[in-house]
Amino acid sequence: MERKEAEQFRKWEWGINAVLVLAALLIMARMAWGLDVQDIVVEWTPEGKQLAEKRVATIKAKDDMVLVPAGEFIMGSDKKTDRVAYRSELPQRRVYLDAFEINKYEVTNLQYLKFILATGRNPQIDWRYDGGNFQDTMTHHPIMHVSWYDADAYCKWAGQRLPTEAEWEKAARGEDGRINPWGKESAGLTRANFGRTGISGPVRDRPERLLLYPPLISVDKYDNAVSPYGTYQMMGNVSEWVADWYDQDYYKTAPDRNPKGPEKGTQKAFRGGGWMDSTTTMRAAMRNGTDPNTKINWMGFRCARDAQGDAGTKVSMVSE
């Protein structure tokens, strides 16, 4: 009797484990769907496209730009002041940049919708409502699931360009080498959208939450965490594509005046922590790279452009 009960228990245990494994595989598959959407196509319905055109005509976009004046800033990390600094952030040095302008906010769904309509592209993978549209609450969320080439095309269409790594970093941290836009303090939940859903605890502790639309927030939140030049959410929400090819050891040989990255490579650089990142990667000097064809649900971008005339001498930094 005891042997039969033991065998029956083992069968139940095997069955439960099989179900758990299958569930884990399904979650991983859906997670992969969220990260790899190269072959998925969403198409407009006539009614959906009409609604989209009405939206871009009537809703004001958050497309402001801020000026970053010409001058030097401290780029990279120093292990003495930032003990979690990575190899790719070393050595720290002073870098001179010409004046430039950069988007105050990350590029939003609404802004990207204008580009899609103007260039005849299909809706984004996340726009599955009302015939190819995003939900109203997503209007000012950052665009995601865009490749580097998509981001580059958008910026050129808008008469702008992607910022260089150096431009992005100066816009994020100012001139004084601070670790984050707001100062030397680590990122906290009151200053950035990272590593949490915002309502139900850490995302990495609840992998099933990746099956849903990510916990993004509007790009104009956290006004207590703006950079010295007034840019929002340089940390958190989504990471951001920049112009440069990525080389882990580029800083060892990079010029100290208007560096633009290696001449060639296999990966494009991205900066700023995303909604899934942890505290150690939520730092303004943190840098990484990936295949420029990648489309994932934690990567977006913002645009920049050269400053005109003597504009770079007319604006000073916002006080900390």
Side-chain angles (χ1 to χ4, degrees):
M1 185 68 177
E2 291 181 358
R3 180 182 297 178
K4 288 183 179 180
E5 291 177 347
E7 288 177 354
Q8 185 67 26
F9 177 80
R10 283 194 294 270
K11 289 180 180 179
W12 275 104
E13 185 178 35
W14 182 91
I16 292 171
N17 287 335
V19 170
L20 292 174
V21 169
L22 179 59
L25 289 173
L26 288 172
I27 288 173
M28 292 174 65
R30 292 298 298 276
M31 286 172 61
W33 172 87
L35 300 178
D36 184 4
V37 294
Q38 314 294 336
D39 300 323
I40 299 175
V41 176
V42 178
E43 295 184 342
W44 293 110
T45 65
E47 297 79 12
K49 196 165 189 179
Q50 185 176 17
L51 173 59
E53 290 170 344
K54 180 179 179 181
R55 278 179 154 181
V56 300
T58 58
I59 304 175
K60 180 175 172 52
K62 296 184 181 295
D63 53 5
D64 313 55
M65 300 193 84
V66 299
L67 178 67
V68 180
E72 289 188 340
F73 80 107
I74 297 174
M75 187 172 186
S77 295
D78 182 349
K79 279 282 192 179
K80 294 179 181 178
T81 56
D82 188 354
R83 290 178 293 177
V84 298
Y86 292 84
R87 164 184 163 183
S88 60
E89 303 164 29
L90 309 175
Q92 189 176 77
R93 66 208 193 283
R94 297 195 70 85
V95 173
Y96 174 91
L97 294 180
D98 293 334
F100 64 96
E101 293 177 85
I102 190 168
N103 286 153
K104 186 175 184 177
Y105 310 109
E106 294 161 329
V107 171
T108 66
N109 284 314
L110 177 64
Q111 290 172 271
Y112 202 76
L113 174 59
K114 292 184 178 182
F115 165 66
I116 280 183
L117 291 173
T119 56
R121 298 188 176 207
N122 287 321
Q124 288 292 98
I125 182 62
D126 310 291
W127 302 355
R128 300 186 179 190
Y129 308 90
D130 298 323
N133 286 276
F134 45 78
Q135 291 177 299
D136 289 342
T137 54
M138 297 161 58
T139 301
H140 299 301
H141 285 187
I143 189 66
M144 60 181 183
H145 283 137
V146 287
S147 71
W148 182 92
Y149 297 105
D150 293 331
D152 182 60
Y154 171 90
C155 290
K156 289 177 178 176
W157 169 82
Q160 301 163 12
R161 57 175 173 76
L162 285 169
T164 65
E165 278 204 78
E167 287 174 334
W168 189 97
E169 187 169 326
K170 183 177 181 180
R173 69 193 304 200
E175 302 172 358
D176 57 11
R178 63 186 63 188
I179 294 176
N180 281 311
W182 50 84
K184 295 183 179 180
E185 300 86 358
S186 297
L189 298 179
T190 61
R191 286 194 174 106
N193 178 31
F194 74 103
R196 293 179 67 91
T197 64
I199 55 173
S200 302
V203 171
R204 54 187 173 275
D205 293 341
R206 300 287 302 277
E208 72 276 11
R209 298 212 170 261
L210 292 175
L211 308 184
L212 307 175
Y213 181 79
L216 300 179
I217 60 174
S218 294
V219 297
D220 59 352
K221 302 300 183 183
Y222 296 113
D223 56 6
N224 63 330
V226 298
S227 81
Y229 301 106
T231 53
Y232 278 65
Q233 295 187 34
M234 303 295 282
M235 309 304 304
N237 225 11
V238 290
S239 295
E240 301 174 20
W241 289 114
V242 291
D244 308 31
W245 289 107
Y246 177 74
D247 177 357
Q248 182 176 233
D249 296 317
Y250 176 65
Y251 284 11
K252 294 178 181 179
T253 58
D256 58 9
R257 189 179 183 90
N258 295 317
K260 299 184 185 300
E263 293 184 3
K264 57 184 179 180
T266 59
Q267 297 183 323
K268 282 292 186 178
F270 63 88
R271 304 297 298 259
W275 62 271
M276 285 184 64
D277 276 295
S278 62
T279 303
T280 57
T281 53
M282 292 289 294
R283 297 174 298 106
M286 177 64 188
R287 55 192 297 265
N288 212 327
T290 191
D291 186 319
N293 291 297
T294 302
K295 296 182 180 183
I296 46 183
N297 65 359
W298 48 265
M299 184 88 80
F301 67 99
R302 71 182 74 210
C303 303
R305 65 187 176 196
D306 297 345
Q308 302 299 310
D310 61 353
T313 65
K314 296 180 180 178
V315 176
S316 59
M317 291 197 302
V318 177
S319 60
E320 183 180 345

